[in-house]
Amino acid sequence: MRVCFIILHYKDRMITKQCVDSIATMDDQENIQMIVVDNDTELPERERSILKEQLKTYRNLHVLTMQEKSGFSRANNTGYLYARDRFKPDYMVICNNDIEFVQKDFLKRLSECHKKHPFFVLGPDVVDSASGAHQNPMD
């Protein structure tokens, strides 16, 4: 099972690195590709290159640099198309850079979830930490 993680980066390099680090601790690394889409077009190129430098130790990570202000959807679509055309994954996980994956067996859980509940798009179960109310998915 091949999985591509599309991570939208904007502004905070340390948050992006924490997200990448959490993916890098998952089981089955040989089946994972990470695509970081740098959507921070307001920074000068030398500043943007710092992100690439910080992440260069990951052999399964690719940084795409958006050249013009493109917005959330276009940046995600750019990462999606890159992953689809280059790696042909079984699954794509599209997330913002402020997500931390805590399950080492995330790929196994993803596969089991798909077997139990076949899906085309799977979203998170978002729970308000103060009230316990489910915010997503909504009834």
Side-chain angles (χ1 to χ4, degrees), residues 59-81:
R59 64 168 184 74
N60 60 337
L61 186 133
H62 312 264
V63 178
L64 307 181
T65 305
M66 300 302 290
Q67 297 304 315
E68 58 187 46
K69 198 172 208 166
S70 58
F72 177 81
S73 296
R74 182 171 291 164
N76 279 324
N77 287 337
T78 298
Y80 170 86
L81 292 171

Side-chain angles (χ1 to χ4, degrees), residues 15-58:
I15 293 291
T16 299
K17 184 157 181 353
Q18 288 173 345
C19 178
V20 167
D21 288 345
S22 74
I23 296 166
T25 64
M26 288 181 187
D27 299 337
D28 302 320
Q29 282 297 301
E30 65 278 1
N31 294 313
I32 293 175
Q33 293 294 325
M34 294 180 276
I35 295 90
V36 173
V37 182
D38 182 357
N39 201 28
D40 196 358
T41 58
E42 296 171 5
L43 282 178
E45 187 57 38
R46 66 177 162 61
E47 289 289 322
R48 294 177 88 183
S49 67
I50 294 171
L51 176 68
K52 290 179 185 176
E53 184 66 26
Q54 285 179 320
L55 301 175
K56 74 178 184 180
T57 58
Y58 297 101

